[in-house]
Every structure is written in structure tokens, then in C-alpha cells.
Amino acid sequence: MQYRKLGSSDLMVSDISLGSWLTYSGGIEADATRGCTEAAFDAGINFFDTANVYGRGAAETAWGEILSAHPRDSYVLATGRQGPAPVTEPTRAVAAVEGVKHR
């Protein structure tokens, strides 16, 4: 697997990421979700993409459970937020993050 810097940060992410929109939001069973995610790790993928609207949080919940078995510094998890108002105020940003933590 090849890796590159993420923007101007020091994070190194795999050239290939694993997304969860059509898969882990309820489209496949939990065992297949875990198997796919573990296969991605085995292939060197360390960049995972999800959002709060995928399966109404089901994708975030699945990866929260699966990724918790891996050291936190072994992956980068990108999650988006969609809702009625943009997250421009600090209190809204904190509320959005807290919502993800509870899924």
C-alpha cells in the first residue's frame, strides 16, 4: 500500500480509503462489515470514511465497535456531518462530535 500526507498535517493515510455509504449503513450484515474492515487493515488501508447520515448513524456505530479493537494511532477516521444547520459555532461543533461519540 502506498501512503501520502493528508493535507498539511503530519498524518499519513493510505492512497485507498474504505467508505461506508452503501455498505455498513445497513446494506450488509455485521459479520461482513467486520470482515471487510479487517481485510482493509490487512491490505494496509488506514483511512476510513463515513458520515452521520449513513444508515442514520449505523455506519458510525459499526465502525466505532470495530475500530475500537485497533490502536487509535493505526487509522484515520473521516466523518461528515449533515443536518439542518451548518456547524459554524463552537457549541454546535461540540454537539455534533458528542452525537458521533454516542453512536
Side-chain angles (χ1 to χ4, degrees):
M1 179 62 58
Q2 293 183 349
Y3 300 87
R4 64 180 69 195
K5 283 181 72 171
L6 183 62
S8 61
S9 75
D10 290 331
L11 293 174
M12 296 298 290
V13 295
S14 52
D15 281 353
I16 300 172
S17 69
L18 181 62
S20 63
W21 177 43
L22 293 176
T23 51
Y24 313 131
S25 61
I28 64 172
E29 298 295 323
D31 288 343
T33 300
R34 182 174 302 281
C36 236
T37 304
E38 296 302 335
F41 267 107
D42 291 345
I45 294 172
N46 72 344
F47 189 29
F48 300 88
D49 177 59
T50 189
N52 68 329
V53 295
Y54 299 167
R56 296 182 180 165
E60 286 181 334
T61 298
W63 270 351
E65 294 169 5
I66 296 166
L67 295 174
S68 68
H70 294 270
R72 183 58 190 94
D73 62 355
S74 69
Y75 62 89
V76 175
L77 179 62
T79 187
R81 180 201 175 273
Q82 183 172 349
V87 181
T88 56
E89 299 172 20
T91 55
R92 288 188 179 178
V94 169
V97 169
E98 290 301 318
V100 169
K101 286 170 48 179
H102 292 292
R103 280 196 277 283

